Amino acid sequence: MDSINANNSIIHFNEKCYVSLNKHITDKNFSKIFILVDENTHQYCLPKFLENLETIKAIEIIEIESGEINKTIDTCIGVWNTLSELDADRKSLIINIGGGVITDLGGFVACTFKRGISYINVPTSLLSMVDASVGGKTGVDLGHLKNQIGVISNPNLVLIDTDYLDTLPKNQMRSGLAEMLKHGLITGENYWNEFQNLSNLSLNDLDELIYESVIIKKNVVEEDPFENGLRKTLNFGHTLGHAIESYFLSNSNKKTLLHGEAIIIGMVLACYISTKLTGFSKETTLNIKTLFFSFYDKVEIKKTDYPAIIELLKYDKKNNHGNINFVLLETIGKCKIDCLVDNDLIIEAFEFYNN
Ligand SMILES: NC(=O)c1ccc[n+]([C@@H]2O[C@H](COP(=O)([O-])OP(=O)(O)OC[C@H]3O[C@@H](n4cnc5c(N)ncnc54)[C@H](O)[C@@H]3O)[C@@H](O)[C@H]2O)c1
């Protein structure tokens, strides 16, 4: 798999990762290296990473608690303080080893500490490999509202070593797969069709699909880094998906929904809405729903949940001038951005998901 040049970062895959990493560290002569992990990536991923890291520089490990609930400004303050106490300077490097929480938060910490220091992302969850670590979006949540604070800034390198997936829990694998399915729906039949036999996908198939997904995301981001048009298509399923994720996160009596699980629901809803507003095929929508339900548990969303979820839409980052902007599908691979959807249709879409 060839390395990919994406904006100002270079993405390396599997065996090329560590050669490039070691060369980069030698070439740049960083003053100190800080590695950010959570308790899981500390246990499962850091040992392998350190085995491959060749440097005589001082290395400090900073561990934060795992989980979306910790993707906050308070956690950043903790990491900024630790960096400061450990004498990090503007020539220091941060290496973020983890899922999207670590790469989002670690990227944000790096590009705000002393007005910005270098960082490298080593995504270890499927979701962070195909999505979070590519494209330069960094940031944290504000209370239960997702990704409200952040900046766009690119890591020096992204190192995608799919061996890390060996220890990733199955539900997290499914969560990451949701973003790959989204890439299929927004880019075209060729990639989408590779997922038609979801339950029989092997890890080998996955390596190639991950590579393709990264290229899809990279191409979109490169054409529209600041989300003025094309990049909005990556938000397919995310308008309602994020609202559902936030709603479940903030309700202690609801089960915890992973990001990808919420996006799967959001995509079913967006497909249904598309059938009403853009002429997207009803038959394809039913097939998509059936395929998703063959792999993802149906989540209980009660009628009484609808108003609160709809209320949360107003915090969506794609909104402007008070309008809530949806990405819809005209056909597989052809998106329509900035679509306005009324609440009755959203409720109808929830009913479609539920029945
Ligand atoms: N920046 C972006 O463009 C972008 C895009 C999509 C999602 N995101 C963000 O990504 C986050 C979700 O990412 P995520 O699903 O990776 O969540 P996560 O970082 O919480 O990781 C999921 C869980 O898997 C564990 N884990 C990670 N790698 C592991 C491994 N190899 N072995 C064992 N356990 C491992 C983590 O410790 C965590 O418990 C959300 O905050 C979302 O907003 C960002």
Side-chain angles (χ1 to χ4, degrees), residues 38 40 68 71 99-101 104 124-125 131 137 146 164 167:
D38 64 28
N40 298 319
E68 186 71 30
K71 201 175 107 174
V101 168
D104 273 15
T124 60
S125 69
D131 197 355
K137 282 189 180 175
K146 297 257 315 160
Y164 289 122
T167 56

Side-chain angles (χ1 to χ4, degrees), residues 269 289 303 306 346-355:
L269 302 176
K289 182 171 141 179
K303 282 187 199 311
Y306 302 164
I346 296 174
I347 289 168
E348 230 182 86
F350 275 121
E351 294 292 313
F352 170 74
Y353 175 85
N354 279 331
N355 295 307

Side-chain angles (χ1 to χ4, degrees), residues 71-333:
K71 201 175 107 174
T72 62
I73 203 75
D74 288 334
T75 309
C76 293
I77 293 171
V79 181
W80 284 319
N81 277 328
T82 309
L83 288 170
S84 202
E85 282 154 19
L86 295 172
D87 300 326
D89 61 24
R90 297 192 64 197
K91 283 288 287 172
S92 298
L93 170 72
I94 299 185
I95 303 178
N96 302 312
I97 303 181
V101 168
I102 289 286
T103 53
D104 273 15
L105 183 142
F108 180 66
V109 162
C111 60
T112 45
F113 186 75
K114 293 189 189 280
R115 298 204 178 90
I117 63 174
S118 296
Y119 73 100
I120 289 174
N121 280 342
V122 184
T124 60
S125 69
L126 182 56
L127 190 133
S128 59
M129 288 181 189
V130 297
D131 197 355
S133 69
V134 185
K137 282 189 180 175
T138 72
V140 293
D141 302 334
L142 187 62
H144 292 299
L145 302 174
K146 297 257 315 160
N147 302 327
Q148 298 287 299
I149 311 294
V151 296
I152 293 190
S153 141
N154 283 290
N156 297 14
L157 302 176
V158 179
L159 308 176
I160 300 184
D161 178 349
T162 54
D163 277 356
Y164 289 122
L165 296 176
D166 289 348
T167 56
L168 189 71
K170 285 240 158 32
N171 62 341
Q172 297 289 351
M173 283 294 277
R174 276 195 294 272
S175 176
L177 191 67
E179 297 291 353
M180 300 170 78
L181 292 165
K182 176 198 76 183
H183 287 154
L185 286 175
I186 64 171
T187 48
E189 301 274 0
N190 284 350
Y191 189 58
W192 170 247
N193 285 339
E194 298 195 48
F195 295 98
Q196 295 313 300
N197 209 350
L198 263 186
S199 336
N200 293 331
L201 278 184
S202 72
L203 266 185
N204 273 354
D205 300 326
L206 206 56
D207 255 25
E208 198 48 51
L209 293 171
I210 289 170
Y211 186 69
E212 286 183 60
S213 238
V214 170
I215 291 183
I216 289 170
K217 172 130 193 213
K218 171 242 164 199
N219 286 344
V220 170
V221 169
E222 209 161 61
E223 201 169 316
D224 177 23
F226 295 103
E227 204 162 302
N228 295 316
L230 184 67
R231 189 167 183 170
K232 292 183 185 176
T233 61
L234 292 171
N235 292 316
F236 177 68
H238 282 57
T239 305
L240 277 158
H242 270 156
I244 292 164
E245 189 183 1
S246 296
Y247 179 69
F248 274 65
L249 202 63
S250 61
N251 273 270
S252 50
N253 57 347
K254 292 279 178 197
K255 73 172 222 160
T256 307
L257 259 195
L258 298 179
H259 177 72
E261 293 170 329
I263 297 314
I264 285 290
I265 306 171
M267 288 196 285
V268 173
L269 302 176
C271 284
Y272 179 83
I273 294 169
S274 302
T275 64
K276 299 289 170 174
L277 297 184
T278 66
F280 186 59
S281 155
K282 286 186 184 129
E283 192 190 342
T284 310
T285 298
L286 276 172
N287 291 342
I288 290 168
K289 182 171 141 179
T290 308
L291 180 76
F292 286 179
F293 282 178
S294 73
F295 206 65
Y296 294 87
D297 290 339
K298 193 166 163 188
V299 176
E300 189 186 17
I301 304 178
K302 297 187 177 139
K303 282 187 199 311
T304 48
D305 297 326
Y306 302 164
I309 295 172
I310 291 172
E311 177 66 16
L312 282 167
L313 290 173
K314 71 176 180 215
Y315 298 106
D316 194 273
K317 292 186 304 305
K318 296 177 298 302
N319 298 346
N320 54 35
H321 304 288
N323 291 328
I324 297 159
N325 292 313
F326 278 72
V327 180
L328 300 179
L329 286 179
E330 292 179 325
T331 55
I332 289 181

